[in-house]
Amino acid sequence: MRLFFILSILLNGLFLHAQNFSGTIKSDFDESIPFANVLIKNAETPDLIAQFTTSKQDGSFAIQLKADFENILMEVTKYGFENKTFHFKRSALKENQVLDIRMEESFVALEEVSILQAPKIEVKEDTVNYRASAFLDGSERKVEDLLRKLPGVEVDDQGKIKYKGKNVEKVLLEGDDLFDSNYTLGTKNMNVDIVDQVQAIENFTENALLRGIQDSDKVALNLKLKKNVIDVSGNAAFGYGIENRHQTDLNALAITRSLKNFSNLTYNNLGENNSPYDFFSFQASLEDQKYAGMKAPKLIHERIFSSGLESHRANINDNWFSSFSNIYKFSKRMSARVNLTYYQDELRFFGSDQSNFTFEDATNLMTSQQENVVKKPELYDGNVKLTWHSSKSSLMELTSKWNVENIRTRADLFTNDENDLLTSLQSESFFTYQELLFTQKLNEKNALQIKGVFSRNDLPQTFHLTPGLDFETGQILDNSQNRQSSDFSRNYWELNSTLLGAKNKNKFQVSAALKYAQNQLVSQLFQNGKSLNANYSNDLTFNLLESNLEGFYHLKFGKLSAKPTLVVKNYAWKREDFSHNDHANGNRFVLSPSLNLSYKLSDVTRLFSSYAYDETPLSENNLYSGFVLSSNRSLSKKRFSDDFHQRHQFTLGFGIHDMYNQFNLTAALNYTEQKNNLFAQTHVAQNLTTTEYFFLPEGNQSYGGSFGVEKYIPWLQTTFKLNGNYSRSDYKNIVNNSGVRNNQSDIYLLNLYGKTALSSPINFQNELKLMHMNAKSENVKGTLQNTQIVNAFKILVKPNRYWFGSVALDYFQPSTQNPNEHYFVDVMIRYFTPNQIWGFSLTGKNLTNNKFFEEVYVSDHAHSSSLQSLNRAYVLASLSFSF
């Protein structure tokens, strides 16, 4: 008996020492709680702690019981959470006791509370700081989504940004120009959750040596990142949906003292375009605009898919896009920027067009066309910029750009309810640009810049039409084929020197430039493999030498600012048309003055006006005098003239930009008069439209007005935007052997936008767009007109910081004169884990499954309607991971 008693005590002691507590500690939101205190006490002496441990980073804990008291008290404490207490009988415990503990956040009522928080908007001289978190509602994925919500900032469908009505030149990353002019590489692809502030910088000067010297009215945005964004971070997202829909989005951001890099790879067949390039509607990118004067024109028209809806609804694509943007700082004086992009797509389009023409002789003509188009664009682009501060007062910049583009387009057509046609177009482009820019700061008030530029663009195109056309009768010929070839090349040289200076608040600039452009065009139209006569060929060169001297002085008299500018130009040209034995040369001296005035009524209010006059020779795409077949039914040529185009332009406006009160107002009137123009003489037949452009010493006029109001109303917690625009154009043309006709076109636009920012989980957003067009011509009875209505309504739901959802209802009526309504329903649900690493989303687009939509267009002699294919309904599930 004694032996049994001793053994029982020993075994019980071993059992006591082997007992353990383990488990996890989490919040009510399933978020792990690290460093929580786990206290073991004797219930009879609760003020004394017998054992102690803390939870790990993932919220887990483990403790082995060593005390021998029977009544055990366990307390779990953590600052910011309510204490948790547990009572146990030691004899009832298991050998390994597992506890999963949930803690509730604690709330303390204070008599007086002072909350210090950075303001939503902060103004410092020429810089406005927007605190990003104050404008986020959970719907945003990319930086572009945030920019759309900032007061004073506008972002169009192509991603181009305006601030206070001015085009944004650059989007910087922590002060560095990582993306050059193609800033949409960053704004369309960079995740919004890494941005802490957006800075809008007016009077932006990119070159640090010219700050305080250069007279700049440019605008830039600077993205300030959160402090924890260091080394390497990024995001990976993958989506798959019904109808075989796919989406992949990979991006990475690397930041060190000597390096900044943003790289991305995207793929989708959802209709989305994350690149700066637009092969759907061929809207010019920022880079296209930058190099527009150095590129050769396309004489054969690319197939353009215009859409009154958001482009992703009609853009049926299969797109790969990748970019690499890198700045490496070798030392304090030398750095290199490299931008590489690749784009590949397969665009599909099915649609039909019907046009009703009305002519002065009271005759009418109706044409129709159905088309099934496949377009395959591919693009490679590389840009390298080397920057070297040879001294504290000098800077050398070398830029080298290379671009290769290849577009293959094939279309099956059924025209006028009787003709089956097949077309194919091959367009290739090679473009290179080289620039050397040297800046020498002479003193604190003056600087000198010298720039040299060379560029070359080769643009061969080949177009096939089967069966072909008889161009004399305009009839389609069975068992025939047309082939149109065009090879346009352009070389460009420029040498420029500029002296910049500042005196008190006034600034001046004087520059002298020499520009030389060589243009060469060879084109030929073939019928069944045989070239047609000289009327259908071009073999010409056009060389243009421009020398100019330009100067301005920006004067400031208190609240008044005046900037008179004078450009003195001399043009010398030589045109040799070998196909038509037409040779011409000459020169012309031109004076081009302009004046900009601005008067500050207050710190936030100003009046402004401007006037400019200029004379320019005909552009390169107006040189050819032999016919070119530019589409399956378009044949055109242009009669060369060496008369210069003249242009007068006036603007008068008023603006209020009160950022503290989130109120912006802009109103402007404008008038433009153009003389010595090319006018169109058009002949419309059933299967062929022939256009011949000719010169007249006549003028066109256009005028209009615009206004924009943006205001945040605190008591409604709502932002309203109202924009309106009216434009009228008076112009001349000839249609189907009429005389010279006077025409008028009027366009009215109205846009009303509202978005709530309520503290409740539900918010609302609505945008209404109205557009009305009138077109009429003298000697033709009646006016062609159309009114279009678009309304986009959205409900935003955010129950907490982990969940977000939205429901969108879009209404589209292309013509109130011929009602044909379209409704679109989109839904989205998104969830992020508490650590914000994992994200899950479910997206449904076009759930009403609209397959086509109709648009209506009017001109001075035609009323047209088009039916276009749409992206079908789909549901997409996505998984994202942030690192």
Side-chain angles (χ1 to χ4, degrees):
M1 188 70 181
R2 183 181 299 175
L3 179 60
F4 176 78
F5 179 76
I6 295 173
L7 289 173
S8 297
I9 293 176
L10 291 173
L11 290 172
N12 188 53
L14 290 172
F15 175 77
L16 290 174
H17 285 292
Q19 287 178 306
N20 300 288
F21 277 111
S22 65
T24 59
I25 304 174
K26 293 186 176 183
S27 69
D28 277 345
F29 298 105
D30 203 38
E31 187 174 9
S32 299
I33 302 177
F35 310 114
N37 302 311
V38 181
L39 312 177
I40 303 297
K41 300 179 181 181
N42 187 340
E44 297 176 3
T45 56
D47 295 329
L48 299 177
I49 299 173
Q51 289 180 245
F52 167 84
T53 190
T54 59
S55 60
K56 298 179 181 179
Q57 188 69 38
D58 62 356
S60 65
F61 73 97
I63 187 169
Q64 185 182 57
L65 290 176
K66 297 181 179 179
D68 56 0
F69 41 80
E70 175 67 10
N71 296 317
I72 299 172
L73 185 68
M74 175 187 284
E75 288 186 8
V76 182
T77 66
K78 171 71 176 180
Y79 180 75
F81 293 85
E82 299 287 350
N83 294 348
K84 281 281 192 178
T85 303
F86 303 89
H87 295 269
F88 301 97
K89 290 287 186 179
R90 189 183 191 101
S91 58
L93 290 177
K94 299 178 182 178
E95 182 176 350
N96 292 298
Q97 192 74 34
V98 178
L99 294 174
D100 290 324
I101 301 171
R102 297 280 177 171
M103 301 187 72
E104 299 176 355
E105 293 186 13
S106 62
F107 299 92
V108 180
L110 302 176
E111 294 182 1
E112 293 182 3
V113 178
S114 297
I115 301 175
L116 299 178
Q117 187 181 53
K120 294 171 62 174
I121 301 175
E122 187 177 6
V123 181
K124 294 182 179 180
E125 297 180 351
D126 292 335
T127 302
V128 174
N129 296 322
Y130 297 91
R131 182 165 55 86
S133 60
F135 298 92
L136 300 176
D137 60 21
S139 62
E140 308 81 7
R141 292 178 56 246
K142 303 298 182 181
V143 170
E144 181 180 273
D145 301 325
L146 166 64
L147 298 179
R148 294 179 187 276
K149 299 180 178 180
L150 302 182
V153 178
E154 300 173 35
V155 184
D156 68 14
D157 293 339
Q158 281 73 45
K160 299 172 188 174
I161 307 170
K162 285 187 175 183
Y163 175 72
K164 294 183 179 180
K166 293 182 179 180
N167 292 322
V168 170
E169 299 281 335
K170 304 279 186 179
V171 174
L172 312 177
L173 185 66
E174 289 287 350
D176 288 321
D177 182 18
L178 181 60
F179 305 109
D180 195 25
S181 56
N182 263 349
Y183 57 66
T184 54
L185 289 173
T187 56
K188 283 178 174 287
N189 294 284
M190 191 175 294
N191 287 354
V192 70
D193 53 9
I194 67 172
V195 178
D196 182 55
Q197 287 186 0
V198 177
Q199 297 178 323
I201 307 169
E202 295 184 274
N203 304 317
F204 170 70
T205 301
E206 183 178 0
N207 190 331
L209 296 179
L210 302 181
R211 289 172 188 165
I213 300 175
Q214 185 179 40
D215 183 69
S216 172
D217 61 352
K218 296 180 179 180
V219 177
L221 300 182
N222 182 39
L223 305 179
K224 299 285 290 183
L225 304 183
K226 294 178 179 178
K227 293 181 180 179
N228 60 347
V229 179
I230 57 173
D231 297 331
V232 179
S233 61
N235 178 267
F238 305 91
Y240 177 75
I242 61 173
E243 298 291 333
N244 199 30
R245 298 305 179 103
H246 301 271
Q247 184 178 38
T248 300
D249 185 355
L250 308 173
N251 63 74
L253 177 67
I255 297 179
T256 66
R257 290 184 178 181
S258 59
L259 175 80
K260 280 190 176 72
N261 177 278
F262 179 75
S263 302
N264 76 291
L265 172 66
T266 68
Y267 168 77
N268 82 91
N269 59 0
L270 308 177
E272 297 183 0
N273 182 13
N274 298 311
S275 79
Y277 314 108
D278 180 8
F279 294 96
F280 180 77
S281 58
F282 278 91
Q283 295 287 332
S285 69
L286 293 162
E287 197 167 73
D288 290 335
Q289 295 174 7
K290 179 179 178 180
Y291 299 111
M294 302 171 192
K295 290 189 173 183
K298 289 183 177 179
L299 299 189
I300 305 175
H301 300 160
E302 295 286 357
R303 184 71 63 173
I304 296 175
F305 308 143
S306 62
S307 172
L309 299 173
E310 294 178 297
S311 60
H312 71 85
R313 295 207 182 277
N315 182 16
I316 302 173
N317 69 339
D318 192 65
N319 174 246
W320 286 95
F321 173 68
S322 179
S323 71
F324 173 89
S325 300
N326 188 89
I327 290 180
Y328 186 79
K329 298 179 180 179
F330 301 101
S331 65
K332 292 183 179 180
R333 292 190 173 186
M334 182 175 288
S335 64
R337 183 188 67 210
V338 179
N339 300 100
L340 304 173
T341 59
Y342 173 73
Y343 177 100
Q344 177 186 304
D345 209 339
E346 182 175 308
L347 303 170
R348 294 184 175 271
F349 172 85
F350 176 81
S352 63
D353 293 279
Q354 181 172 300
S355 297
N356 292 290
F357 297 89
T358 303
F359 306 116
E360 288 188 13
D361 59 3
T363 60
N364 294 282
L365 176 67
M366 186 179 75
T367 64
S368 65
Q369 177 169 296
Q370 296 179 18
E371 54 185 345
N372 191 352
V373 184
V374 178
K375 181 192 296 183
K376 297 181 179 181
E378 187 174 28
L379 178 144
Y380 300 84
D381 188 272
N383 193 336
V384 178
K385 181 177 180 179
L386 299 176
T387 303
W388 177 41
H389 289 266
S390 54
S391 69
K392 292 183 178 180
S393 59
S394 60
L395 174 64
M396 185 79 74
E397 297 169 277
L398 174 63
T399 302
S400 179
K401 176 180 176 59
W402 305 82
N403 180 282
V404 178
E405 179 182 289
N406 185 11
I407 308 174
R408 293 172 293 156
T409 306
R410 180 184 176 90
D412 294 303
L413 309 173
F414 183 63
T415 65
N416 299 317
D417 297 323
E418 61 178 356
N419 305 305
D420 287 306
L421 306 178
L422 176 65
T423 68
S424 65
L425 173 60
Q426 176 86 23
S427 294
E428 300 176 10
S429 175
F430 169 77
F431 176 71
T432 182
Y433 175 88
Q434 315 297 321
E435 177 188 298
L436 181 63
L437 177 63
F438 174 73
T439 304
Q440 178 66 52
K441 188 173 183 179
L442 305 175
N443 51 52
E444 292 301 316
K445 299 294 183 180
N446 299 96
L448 176 68
Q449 283 192 311
I450 299 175
K451 181 173 72 172
V453 170
F454 168 73
S455 71
R456 177 172 177 81
N457 188 201
D458 291 315
L459 185 58
Q461 293 182 283
T462 304
F463 176 71
H464 291 89
L465 171 63
T466 306
L469 286 162
D470 182 337
F471 299 108
E472 297 297 328
T473 64
Q475 298 300 311
I476 294 175
L477 299 176
D478 293 334
N479 303 316
S480 68
Q481 183 190 67
N482 296 138
R483 176 166 61 90
Q484 174 70 67
S485 65
S486 172
D487 193 350
F488 214 136
S489 63
R490 177 173 169 83
N491 293 331
Y492 178 84
W493 288 268
E494 178 181 345
L495 183 62
N496 188 307
S497 62
T498 304
L499 176 66
L500 306 94
K503 185 176 181 180
N504 300 323
K505 293 184 179 181
N506 303 328
K507 295 179 181 179
F508 67 88
Q509 182 174 309
V510 179
S511 63
L514 194 64
K515 304 175 183 179
Y516 181 56
Q518 290 180 315
N519 301 278
Q520 183 176 17
L521 169 63
V522 178
S523 73
Q524 184 66 57
L525 182 56
F526 296 85
Q527 182 86 35
N528 293 330
K530 296 181 180 180
S531 61
L532 299 180
N533 60 50
N535 288 330
Y536 300 92
S537 67
N538 291 284
D539 183 3
L540 63 88
T541 61
F542 181 75
N543 300 330
L544 179 67
L545 176 65
E546 176 190 350
S547 54
N548 67 53
L549 181 66
E550 178 179 358
F552 69 77
Y553 201 98
H554 194 166
L555 303 135
K556 295 184 179 180
F557 309 95
K559 296 182 178 181
L560 177 65
S561 171
K563 184 179 177 179
T565 302
L566 179 63
V567 185
V568 181
K569 299 184 285 187
N570 185 75
Y571 293 97
W573 70 89
K574 182 177 182 180
R575 179 180 181 271
E576 296 182 287
D577 188 341
F578 302 105
S579 291
H580 306 93
N581 196 26
D582 183 13
H583 308 289
N585 61 75
N587 62 77
R588 180 156 180 167
F589 181 79
V590 174
L591 291 177
S592 297
S594 65
L595 177 64
N596 290 282
L597 298 173
S598 178
Y599 185 79
K600 291 184 67 173
L601 299 174
S602 69
D603 289 339
V604 297
T605 308
R606 72 182 184 107
L607 287 168
F608 58 90
S609 65
S610 66
Y611 165 75
Y613 172 77
D614 198 12
E615 295 183 33
T616 55
L618 291 179
S619 61
E620 292 75 16
N621 62 330
N622 295 322
L623 298 177
Y624 61 97
S625 53
F627 280 109
V628 173
L629 183 65
S630 56
S631 74
N632 65 287
R633 63 163 298 122
S634 299
L635 188 70
S636 65
K637 73 173 184 177
K638 303 181 180 181
R639 300 176 191 171
F640 176 75
S641 172
D642 56 10
D643 287 276
F644 274 44
H645 178 76
Q646 300 174 5
R647 179 186 177 96
H648 298 265
Q649 188 168 11
F650 302 85
T651 302
L652 176 65
F654 170 78
I656 301 175
H657 299 286
D658 187 351
M659 289 301 173
Y660 282 119
N661 294 305
Q662 297 188 47
F663 176 66
N664 291 286
L665 184 150
T666 303
L669 299 172
N670 58 77
Y671 172 77
T672 301
E673 180 181 358
Q674 303 181 83
K675 291 185 178 181
N676 295 352
N677 293 301
L678 282 177
F679 294 86
Q681 180 176 353
T682 303
H683 185 273
V684 183
Q686 192 71 49
N687 298 302
L688 179 65
T689 298
T690 304
T691 304
E692 186 173 351
Y693 294 90
F694 62 97
F695 172 82
L696 278 181
E698 301 267 351
N700 293 335
Q701 295 82 36
S702 62
Y703 53 87
S706 63
F707 71 90
V709 181
E710 178 181 4
K711 180 69 175 93
Y712 175 73
I713 302 177
W715 59 275
L716 286 176
Q717 294 181 295
T718 302
T719 297
F720 288 102
K721 296 180 184 180
L722 177 63
N723 295 286
N725 185 77
Y726 167 72
S727 62
R728 171 174 170 173
S729 178
D730 297 323
Y731 61 98
K732 296 177 173 62
N733 64 10
I734 298 175
V735 178
N736 280 28
N737 301 315
S738 69
V740 176
R741 315 183 327 160
N742 293 312
N743 309 297
Q744 178 182 319
S745 173
D746 300 274
I747 300 177
Y748 305 81
L749 297 172
L750 188 67
N751 189 321
L752 176 61
Y753 171 88
K755 185 178 185 301
T756 65
L758 306 173
S759 55
S760 66
I762 300 179
N763 278 280
F764 306 93
Q765 176 181 310
N766 196 81
E767 184 173 14
L768 173 65
K769 297 179 182 179
L770 301 174
M771 182 175 72
H772 179 77
M773 299 176 61
N774 283 334
K776 62 182 180 179
S777 179
E778 65 175 2
N779 303 326
V780 177
K781 293 182 180 180
T783 299
L784 298 175
Q785 58 183 320
N786 185 64
T787 304
Q788 176 181 296
I789 302 175
V790 180
N791 192 82
F793 175 71
K794 186 177 287 188
I795 301 174
L796 309 172
V797 182
K798 188 179 181 182
N800 54 53
R801 62 193 181 105
Y802 307 116
W803 286 93
F804 177 82
S806 67
V807 179
L809 174 63
D810 292 353
Y811 169 78
F812 181 80
Q813 187 175 99
S815 177
T816 58
Q817 288 77 13
N818 184 22
N820 185 12
E821 300 174 334
H822 301 271
Y823 295 88
F824 298 87
V825 175
D826 303 330
V827 298
M828 187 271 290
I829 301 172
R830 184 186 301 145
Y831 170 74
F832 283 104
T833 58
N835 55 17
Q836 297 292 305
I837 293 178
W838 292 95
F840 307 89
S841 67
L842 189 65
T843 304
K845 291 285 188 179
N846 188 17
L847 296 182
T848 47
N849 202 22
N850 292 274
K851 297 178 177 64
F852 298 92
F853 80 103
E854 184 180 17
E855 288 189 282
V856 176
Y857 308 92
V858 295
S859 68
D860 57 87
H861 61 280
H863 182 281
S864 304
S865 62
S866 69
L867 193 68
Q868 302 182 16
S869 54
L870 295 175
N871 263 310
R872 303 293 179 88
Y874 70 86
V875 176
L876 185 83
S878 299
L879 170 68
S880 65
F881 173 75
S882 299
F883 57 90

